[in-house]
Amino acid sequence: MDVAVQWISLSWGKAARGGPLATRRNACPVGLPLPDHPQPFTHRVVMSQWGDFEPRSRIETALPPEDVVALVDLGDRLAVWFTLLRKERMRPRYVLRNQYIRLTVHSRETTESQWIWKRDTFNIAYGPVSGETFLLPPNHVV
């Protein structure tokens, strides 16, 4: 399957909700250069307040699990279900060959000592990709 997924996870605490840390958080990219790797693959990138918002990345040779995003190659287009969102679960989005879609999800969770805010961005390309694919504007935004 000619699919590349870039999953960028950004997390922060109360200190980064305002001031200089919020400025740094807001400057975090929603698309990064892709590594050269055979498709399909997932480029996982994690950035956090506690890591000074520096990107740490790894390549996974598998696509994300279906409870996060389900992908079906229909030959002329890719059907994408963002299953982590209940309201989106039943409505697929379609990506044509040589295009990509971007979804951004905001959430919040609690630990024993603090709230943690998160922004997960999914960039999903169908067809051959280059390193700059996700640096260009997406064809579809959800």
Side-chain angles (χ1 to χ4, degrees):
M1 184 179 339
D2 266 355
V3 176
V5 175
Q6 186 175 71
W7 181 358
I8 302 173
S9 296
L10 175 66
S11 59
W12 65 93
K14 186 175 181 180
R17 293 202 26 103
L21 281 176
T23 302
R24 298 238 13 231
R25 170 181 52 89
N26 289 332
C28 290
V30 293
L32 291 163
L34 280 171
D36 186 22
H37 194 276
Q39 291 174 261
F41 69 91
T42 300
H43 181 214
R44 285 283 282 136
V45 181
V46 176
M47 295 180 277
S48 75
Q49 169 189 331
W50 304 277
D52 204 28
F53 296 111
E54 290 298 319
R56 292 175 308 168
S57 67
R58 70 179 186 268
I59 295 294
E60 298 173 358
T61 56
L63 293 173
E66 286 194 8
D67 63 343
V68 174
V69 61
L71 306 169
V72 177
D73 188 342
L74 300 174
D76 62 337
R77 64 188 188 262
L78 181 71
V80 180
W81 285 269
F82 293 107
T83 51
L84 78 159
L85 298 174
R86 290 188 187 274
K87 66 182 180 183
E88 296 291 332
R89 185 171 294 164
M90 294 304 183
R91 202 170 84 197
R93 306 295 180 162
Y94 296 98
V95 183
L96 299 177
R97 187 163 286 285
N98 301 319
Q99 292 188 352
Y100 88 91
I101 189 169
R102 175 174 291 152
L103 167 76
T104 302
V105 180
H106 295 271
S107 62
R108 182 179 66 182
E109 60 186 46
T110 185
T111 67
E112 291 181 14
S113 60
Q114 68 178 330
W115 284 99
I116 296 176
W117 287 266
K118 297 174 102 178
R119 180 185 80 193
D120 286 298
T121 302
F122 297 88
N123 295 309
I124 302 171
Y126 182 54
V129 294
S130 70
E132 295 79 35
T133 297
F134 297 137
L135 300 179
L136 301 170
N139 301 96
H140 307 283
V141 177
V142 178

